[in-house]
């Protein structure tokens, strides 16, 4: 059995932030909304792995397709499973909220704005922080969301993570970083049974997913950024004319 030490908490994170109500240090997430390939992979993971339970009820399939540069036919063919749902509709599912609350203890919340609600750092850390815990109904617990009601839906990719941490280590993460390698020293959360992806591949899968969730939480951000640049260029050009005009007006005064 191959054992990987996961560079889970704080691997490359010089900056830390606190989870809501907790003090567990979070891995920092630097998204890239211009990386269309990453956003497309993220959407694919989101639709395949998350939408069975969660909705993105404020986002339409078509809007995502347009912004991410995916042809509508491909979205219809591969990303919409319910023949009743048209591409112009919201990204919803058929899970009844009341029963879901009974099954999981809490209903799976809508995730459209999740990356803004909790912050991308939190979501990125959360999805990589599940570990085996037989006392929980789904056999897993989570470092940043203790007693979580969600199963580890990415376990087949990540593998089974076993917890060898003391409660204290778990509460504080292991934020002692080796200054030479930038990697976490020690490491008490260990992948005991490998999944289908390596640690790096899995981090990348979750990176793409959270990148997509960050886009979804503010779909107009890309547009605003490019518009902002254009406005600044316009103002710079306007300044030249305004300045020339000012000189013209004042030339007889002095
Ligand atoms: C089998 C159903 C199921 C699937 C599939 C699922 N989740 Fe969840 N998820 C839940 C439930 C239930 C909760 C509520 C947990 C709680 O409050 O204890 C939850 C909670 C969450 C939360 C925390 C919400 C908050 O702020 O309180 C996030 C983030 C999340 N899920 C992301 C995802 C992502 C991303 C995926 C896809 C990779 C996914 N989930 C797949 C059931 C699911």
């Amino acid at each position: 059995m191959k054992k990987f030490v996961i560079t889970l908490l704080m691997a490359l994170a010089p900056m830390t932030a606190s989870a809501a109500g907790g003090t567990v240090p979070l891995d920092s997430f630097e998204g890239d909304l211009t990386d269309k390939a990453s956003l497309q992979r993220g959407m694919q993971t989101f639709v395949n792995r998350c939408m069975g339970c969660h909705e993105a009820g404020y986002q339409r399939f078509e809007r995502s397709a347009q912004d991410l540069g995916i042809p509508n036919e491909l979205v219809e063919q591969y990303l919409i499973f319910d023949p009743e749902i048209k591409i112009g509709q919201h990204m919803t599912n058929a899970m009844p909220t009341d029963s879901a609350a009974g099954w999981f203890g809490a209903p799976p919340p809508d995730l459209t704005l999740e990356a803004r609600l909790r912050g991308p750092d939190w979501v990125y850390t959360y999805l990589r922080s599940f570990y085996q815990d037989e006392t929980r109904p789904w056999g897993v617990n989570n470092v940043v969301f203790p007693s979580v009601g969600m199963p580890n839906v990415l376990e087949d990719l990540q593998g089974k993570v076993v917890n060898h941490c003391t409660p204290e280590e778990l509460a504080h993460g292991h934020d002692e970083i080796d200054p030479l390698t930038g990697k976490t020293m020690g490491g008490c959360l260990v992948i005991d049974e490998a999944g289908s992806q390596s640690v790096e591949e899995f981090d990348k899968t979750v990176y793409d997913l959270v990148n997509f969730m960050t886009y979804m939480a503010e779909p107009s951000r890309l547009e605003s950024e490019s518009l902002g640049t254009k406005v600044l260029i316009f103002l710079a050009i306007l300044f030249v004319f305004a300045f020339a005009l000012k000189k013209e007006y004042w030339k007889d005064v002095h």
Side-chain angles (χ1 to χ4, degrees):
M1 210 181 323
K2 212 171 172 191
K3 289 201 174 184
F4 298 101
V5 173
I6 13 174
T7 56
L8 183 61
L9 292 163
M10 299 310 305
L12 297 164
M15 286 195 319
T16 62
S18 283
T23 51
V24 182
L26 300 175
D27 292 348
S28 82
F29 177 85
E30 212 44 71
D32 179 3
L33 297 184
T34 60
D35 187 347
K36 291 262 164 73
S38 157
L39 294 171
Q40 290 171 359
R41 286 191 299 268
M43 180 176 178
Q44 194 181 15
T45 308
F46 184 80
V47 171
N48 282 313
R49 299 272 181 163
C50 316
M51 278 188 62
C53 297
H54 294 277
E55 300 196 329
Y58 304 101
Q59 173 79 350
R60 291 175 198 276
F61 281 104
E62 196 169 23
R63 172 78 198 253
S64 307
Q66 268 168 8
D67 289 347
L68 271 49
I70 313 176
N72 282 3
E73 309 79 68
L74 290 186
V75 171
E76 277 164 345
Q77 201 175 340
Y78 295 111
L79 297 178
I80 302 179
F81 308 125
D82 183 346
E84 300 280 299
I85 293 200
K86 299 279 169 290
I87 189 155
Q89 282 176 264
H90 289 116
M91 296 171 67
T92 53
N93 64 25
M95 183 181 274
T97 312
D98 292 349
S99 328
W103 299 329
F104 299 106
D110 188 286
L111 292 183
T112 323
L113 301 173
E114 181 70 11
R116 263 207 279 172
L117 183 71
R118 295 275 198 177
D121 288 355
W122 188 90
V123 181
Y124 180 63
T125 311
Y126 166 72
L127 291 170
R128 290 154 54 253
S129 296
F130 284 90
Y131 63 88
Q132 301 296 306
D133 181 351
E134 294 314 322
T135 65
R136 301 294 309 152
W138 298 106
V140 287
N141 209 328
N142 192 286
V143 181
V144 295
F145 194 152
S147 305
V148 70
M150 173 172 145
N152 184 8
V153 297
L154 302 175
E155 190 175 285
D156 58 312
L157 306 178
Q158 183 184 26
K160 280 197 157 86
V161 179
V162 177
N163 170 26
H164 296 295
C165 308
T166 60
E168 216 165 51
E169 278 175 312
L170 209 56
H172 296 292
H174 20 99
D175 44 3
E176 237 178 85
I177 296 177
D178 184 339
L180 289 177
T181 59
K183 296 238 157 129
T184 314
M185 301 213 280
C188 48
L189 285 170
V190 171
I191 295 185
D192 192 46
E193 223 171 86
S196 60
Q197 297 189 334
S198 70
V199 176
E200 289 76 24
E201 282 166 347
F202 182 68
D203 283 355
K204 184 77 180 69
T205 301
V206 179
Y207 175 91
D208 293 340
L209 175 58
V210 178
N211 208 16
F212 172 72
M213 290 173 72
T214 308
Y215 147 76
M216 182 164 68
E218 209 178 344
S220 54
R221 188 148 134 210
L222 259 184
E223 224 173 304
S224 349
E225 276 173 17
S226 80
L227 198 64
T229 319
K230 286 179 196 146
V231 168
L232 286 178
I233 293 172
F234 171 75
L235 286 176
I237 296 170
L238 188 70
F239 173 78
V240 175
F241 288 104
F243 190 70
L245 192 65
K246 179 231 165 216
K247 275 182 101 176
E248 182 64 25
Y249 280 169
W250 284 80
K251 75 171 186 254
D252 301 330
V253 178
H254 297 297

